[in-house]
Amino acid sequence: IKGDFSRKAILKMTTQFYAPDIVCGGCAAAIQRSLSTASGVQKVDVDIESKTVAVTHDADQTSASELLATLDEAGFPAT
């Protein structure tokens, strides 16, 4: 059998946050910009109406608490 089997499996997960300060498309864009630079983040979905942020990420590279800190630094404290 040939191949590179040294690669580690990616533990992909989606974490959802509630960020009450999301009020417009500019907020959504700012959140997407800030979270997309975090290590291991693969996808960011912001729903303005429900004020939620869903982040698909590699749990081995980025934890939920790190994502919360990134949101807070961007001016959107979340739970």
Side-chain angles (χ1 to χ4, degrees), residues 32 34-44 54-58 61-62 67:
Q32 288 179 327
S34 65
L35 286 173
S36 65
T37 62
S39 178
V41 171
Q42 297 154 358
K43 183 178 178 185
V44 178
V55 185
T56 303
H57 59 100
D58 179 347
Q61 292 184 27
T62 305
L67 295 171

Side-chain angles (χ1 to χ4, degrees), residues 36-73:
S36 65
T37 62
S39 178
V41 171
Q42 297 154 358
K43 183 178 178 185
V44 178
D45 290 314
V46 181
D47 186 315
I48 298 167
E49 190 173 310
S50 67
K51 300 181 182 293
T52 58
V53 180
V55 185
T56 303
H57 59 100
D58 179 347
D60 287 336
Q61 292 184 27
T62 305
S63 68
S65 61
E66 290 170 318
L67 295 171
L68 279 170
T70 301
L71 280 168
D72 192 50
E73 289 170 12

Side-chain angles (χ1 to χ4, degrees), residues 8-49:
K8 183 173 77 168
I10 295 174
L11 180 56
K12 183 161 74 167
M13 66 182 300
T14 300
T15 305
Q16 188 162 335
F17 303 101
Y18 173 70
D21 294 337
I22 299 172
V23 295
C24 65
C27 298
I31 289 169
Q32 288 179 327
R33 275 193 306 275
S34 65
L35 286 173
S36 65
T37 62
S39 178
V41 171
Q42 297 154 358
K43 183 178 178 185
V44 178
D45 290 314
V46 181
D47 186 315
I48 298 167
E49 190 173 310

